[in-house]
Each structure stands twice: as C-alpha cells, then as structure tokens.
Amino acid sequence: MGDPGGAAAGSGGAVQRSAADGRARRATVQPGGGTDLDAQRSVWQLGADPADPPDEFVAPDQTASGSPAAAVPMISRSRTRHRPRVLDEVAGQVRFERGSVAEFGSPQRAAVLVHWARTPVLSRSVTTLAGELARAGYRLVLVSACESPQPLNWRGTCPPDATVLRKPNAGYDFGSWAVALNELPAITQAERVILTNDSMAGPFAPLAGVLAQFEHCSADVFGLTDTRQYFRHLQSYFVGFTDGLLGEAPLAAFFADIRLEDTKWDVINRYELGLNRLFRREGYGYTAGFRADDVVPAGDNPVIRGWWRLLERGFPFVKREILRDPDVAPRADWVSREVAAVFGQRIEEWV
C-alpha cells in the first residue's frame, strides 16, 4: 500500500504483527466475546458478515453524504503515485504553536483533533470536544490548517497540556492526522488513540459514556458510527485505535503514504474506504458505538439520513454539512428544534 521506508521514518518505528499475535487478537473480537459493554453490540471483523458486499461495491444511487446521485467510482491507489505525499508537501512548513515533542512525552492516551477555519477563533464545538477529550485523560493534539496566521483563539478554554500544530491547508483530514503521527511519533505507541475532526456540531452532552465504550471495547478499532454505504465500514470522523495499533507496520505505512487528492470524494474512496479495507486485509476487529442498522436502511449514511434517530439514541452531534446545505438531509429544518428538545442546546451557538 505505502512506501515501507517512508512509513518507518514517519512513525517512530513500525511494529510488525506476528501471525500468532494476529490470531490471538482476532479471537478476542468475535461476536459474543468481550466485556459487558461489548455484549450490548456485536463486535465484528470486516468481511465477517456474509451480507456485506464485496470490496468493489458502490451504492448505485448514493453519494458519500447519502443523497441520490450517480455512483462514485472506486479509484485504484496506483493512480495516486504521481501525486506528492502530504508529508513531503508540507515538510518544513509545520510548526508548534503550543507545546513541543519533549513536552508531549509518551502519553498512554492521546487524541488528535484536526481543524480548519478561515478565522482563528475556535468554535464552541471544537473547544468543547477538545475539553471533553482532555478531561477524560487524553493528551490533546489540535492540528489546525486555519487560513489565518494569527494564533488560535480558544476563548479561554484551551486544555493546559494541549499541543497545537499549525500546517498548510493540504491533505484534508487524513493529511492532518498523518502530520500529527509524523511530528509526534509517540502517539502511535499509546494504549488508546482517537483520531477525530471538526466536521460535527457538538458534543451537546458529556462524552463520558461514548469514551467508556471505547475504553472497555475488546476490538482493535472503535468508531463512533458505522455504515453499510459502499460496504460496511467505520466512518472516519471519530475513530479510536487500541494497544499501539497505529505503530504496527500496515497502519504506519498507510498514514505515511497519504497523498494530495483533488476532491473530497477521492479522499473518501482512497482513505476512509481504504483504511477500512486495510482493517479487512489485516484481520483487525472493530466495533461501533452507534450502529447504522439501528437508524437507516442499508446503504444510507446514518449521520446524514438518520441524524434525528441518532439524537434520540443519545448521539451528541449533528453533521455540520446539514447546517450548511439542508438539501442533503431529510427533515433538516428540524435540526434546531430537535437539538433543543433532546439536549437543551441552541445549535446556532455551536458553529
């Protein structure tokens, strides 16, 4: 998938999984195993469900947001070779606005939150998400591609041990995660790592319950939501990795090889879906906190086409895309009312 030499240089040393270790790990994530929390939701491996379509499946009438459109074709990763790696493109242009490699140390829990905005004032959604992660014991790393060169304005809410990286606006979210793993390789060795972004409004409620699911799950990878769109996979806006998984060779190579892409759809095809194909190929088990099957028909995007059902189940976020472009989601005109009814919050204050 990627250049192994580049991966090793960018990940602080990849750890190769042995066949025996892989078998042992897979044995812990079969349905019916795991903790009491896991018993409430199935823990499954990619490819383990016979109802899943093959890798090449593309929902014929869905875009990535869940609205009807022509199929989005799968794109071979071989076609990315003429595009530069994000790490090469931004080399020498990444700086620490707050913290340093030495100050970061070797935390057991880390969360990488990636951010983009035109102005340096952080939204309530970003500062609240950062605060929730920090209060739960995660060493926060904010990677910002803000267009303003001015220091970010946390409005007095910056976690005291947060690290802030500033980078050019290149590579979308996966490129920013790759930069964090490259600049702070200790992240890859942490027991629990969350990679998340600012694509959601919220959290409108404390994340203690969600983070407890991640802490107690026996799977290799935890996602806040899954979907059967294209094929069954975790959605990439909030993904947690366990037991130093990001330091293993397959994932280290994957993130080191993130490249500049022309469109958001290229990123989804090559990296969100590509990451999940890697899980399938390597036998990594994964689980989701909120299952798409509970809120939408197979093939629909739960955070777009089932957003109100997720809220009713305690999901404390709304996709910002719905607020920007109400036409992408059903009942979009209900968002303000539903957020107020379920969480007692004015969504206008969160964006």
Side-chain angles (χ1 to χ4, degrees):
M1 173 174 290
D3 177 0
S11 64
V15 179
Q16 182 65 53
R17 175 199 295 275
S18 69
D21 180 49
R23 286 194 296 273
R25 183 185 293 273
R26 288 194 291 272
T28 67
V29 296
Q30 297 302 316
T35 66
D36 291 340
L37 276 171
D38 291 329
Q40 299 172 25
R41 57 187 57 79
S42 62
V43 180
W44 31 265
Q45 290 174 254
L46 277 164
D49 187 339
D52 286 349
D55 283 0
E56 293 76 18
F57 173 79
V58 180
D61 60 349
Q62 301 290 320
T63 67
S65 65
S67 55
V72 179
M74 293 300 174
I75 302 174
S76 168
R77 282 183 56 80
S78 64
R79 288 175 54 191
T80 69
R81 296 308 176 206
H82 69 283
R83 295 192 175 97
R85 293 192 317 153
V86 171
L87 295 182
D88 296 330
E89 185 72 10
V90 304
Q93 302 177 73
V94 178
R95 62 183 174 87
F96 283 83
E97 181 171 286
R98 180 186 176 95
S100 66
V101 174
E103 292 175 46
F104 187 74
S106 300
Q108 294 304 299
R109 283 164 176 72
V112 182
L113 169 57
V114 301
H115 162 262
W116 174 88
R118 290 188 173 86
T119 71
V121 179
L122 299 180
S123 70
R124 183 179 177 185
S125 292
V126 170
T127 59
T128 302
L129 178 55
E132 286 292 313
L133 293 167
R135 277 189 290 276
Y138 286 81
R139 182 69 63 84
L140 180 75
V141 179
L142 181 74
V143 184
S144 179
C146 177
E147 292 185 3
S148 170
Q150 299 300 314
L152 298 179
N153 181 354
W154 289 77
R155 298 184 291 183
T157 61
C158 182
D161 61 353
T163 300
V164 177
L165 289 170
R166 300 291 296 270
K167 62 177 280 290
N169 184 21
Y172 293 90
D173 295 340
F174 278 90
S176 291
W177 289 322
V179 165
L181 301 182
N182 184 66
E183 296 291 328
L184 296 165
I187 294 172
T188 67
Q189 306 303 316
E191 290 182 5
R192 290 287 190 275
V193 178
I194 293 171
L195 303 183
T196 186
N197 65 27
D198 63 351
S199 64
M200 295 288 186
F204 308 119
L207 290 181
V210 167
L211 296 176
Q213 290 181 36
F214 175 42
E215 289 289 329
H216 292 93
C217 80
S218 59
D220 300 294
V221 188
F222 172 89
L224 201 50
T225 52
D226 68 356
T227 178
R228 288 184 184 271
Q229 194 177 20
Y230 309 117
F231 62 89
R232 195 176 198 180
H233 68 277
L234 296 179
Q235 297 187 289
S236 63
Y237 66 90
F238 190 110
V239 180
F241 299 84
T242 65
D243 300 330
L245 200 69
L246 287 170
E248 295 192 2
L251 282 165
F254 176 87
F255 280 101
D257 196 44
I258 301 298
R259 295 175 181 257
L260 296 183
E261 304 297 344
D262 294 331
T263 70
K264 172 184 173 182
W265 311 120
D266 291 336
V267 173
I268 291 170
N269 278 316
R270 291 185 173 115
Y271 302 124
E272 177 169 308
L273 300 182
L275 180 62
N276 280 271
R277 288 194 182 91
L278 184 152
F279 297 158
R280 183 194 298 260
R281 186 171 63 251
E282 298 300 324
Y284 295 144
Y286 72 84
T287 187
F290 295 85
R291 297 292 301 273
D293 291 348
D294 295 333
V295 296
V296 291
D300 278 357
N301 184 337
V303 298
I304 294 289
R305 304 192 68 81
W307 65 266
W308 68 96
R309 297 190 185 101
L310 284 171
L311 289 182
E312 292 168 355
R313 286 164 171 77
F315 181 77
F317 296 96
V318 169
K319 185 79 169 173
R320 286 172 52 197
E321 182 181 1
I322 299 174
L323 306 178
R324 292 194 306 267
D325 183 7
D327 291 340
V328 304
R331 307 184 185 184
D333 56 330
W334 292 14
V335 170
S336 294
R337 183 182 69 189
E338 290 297 304
V339 170
V342 176
F343 295 107
Q345 298 290 335
R346 286 175 45 83
I347 197 167
E348 296 81 6
E349 299 174 358
W350 290 81
V351 293

